[in-house]
Amino acid sequence: GPIAAGPHPASPGIPRGATGARQAALEGQQLRVQRRFAEAAASFQRAVEADPMDADAWADLADSSAAAAGKDLTVGREAILRALAIDPLHRKALWLRASLELQEGRYADAAATWRELQPLVQAGTSDARVIAANIAEADALAGPRAVLAGRGG
């Protein structure tokens, strides 16, 4: 027989998931401003459960989870990758991935990720200056061979 869709099949016209996700994300942002990072992470977790295609919520989940864990970005790895799977040019998620790669000592990868992020940020801004400095730092940490290898691609 036909597969039962449950008593209330989700209608594509009703943004119930997206609305719930937005409310949870707003809650998470307010909690993050208050530096209540664990609670913020829980809110962003609800947001991605309500709308799994919300790249912003995944990036915010990664960020808040890391902040709650004393800036340990490894706890946010899965959320960072989910955000980038949805939006490969997501600025915050790229920034977090580069920071994670740096934290893990993957300097050549970090430099490459910062370079992906560079054209997405307005030139001359403080973000652009931070990214340029991060590229220089990651290149220096990676050592000369990694830089040369990176130029070949």
Side-chain angles (χ1 to χ4, degrees), residues 78-91:
E78 181 63 31
I80 293 167
L81 297 177
R82 290 289 294 267
L84 289 169
I86 296 161
D87 178 2
L89 298 179
H90 194 282
R91 282 182 298 195

Side-chain angles (χ1 to χ4, degrees), residues 8-145:
H8 299 289
S11 159
I14 300 169
R16 188 157 156 246
T19 301
R22 261 198 306 278
Q23 285 169 346
L26 281 171
E27 204 177 280
Q29 284 156 13
Q30 287 164 353
L31 289 163
R32 198 173 53 197
V33 168
Q34 297 164 15
R35 306 188 69 75
R36 290 158 63 184
F37 298 118
E39 290 166 83
S43 291
F44 290 123
Q45 182 66 49
R46 284 196 298 278
V48 299
E49 283 164 11
D51 182 4
M53 294 306 289
D54 185 342
D56 289 342
W58 282 111
D60 287 330
L61 172 59
D63 191 26
S64 295
S65 300
K71 295 199 167 81
D72 178 7
L73 280 160
T74 60
V75 299
R77 180 195 319 273
E78 181 63 31
I80 293 167
L81 297 177
R82 290 289 294 267
L84 289 169
I86 296 161
D87 178 2
L89 298 179
H90 194 282
R91 282 182 298 195
K92 181 171 190 167
L94 283 169
W95 192 294
L96 290 167
R97 191 182 79 191
S99 302
L100 170 63
E101 289 162 345
L102 206 58
Q103 179 186 325
E104 294 184 326
R106 290 157 47 213
Y107 303 121
D109 290 341
T113 301
W114 289 122
R115 284 189 170 90
E116 275 179 69
L117 181 57
Q118 206 167 23
L120 307 177
V121 174
Q122 196 176 344
T125 59
S126 61
D127 279 355
R129 286 191 290 276
V130 169
I131 290 167
N134 288 344
I135 289 170
E137 179 193 19
D139 279 346
L141 289 165
R145 276 180 308 199

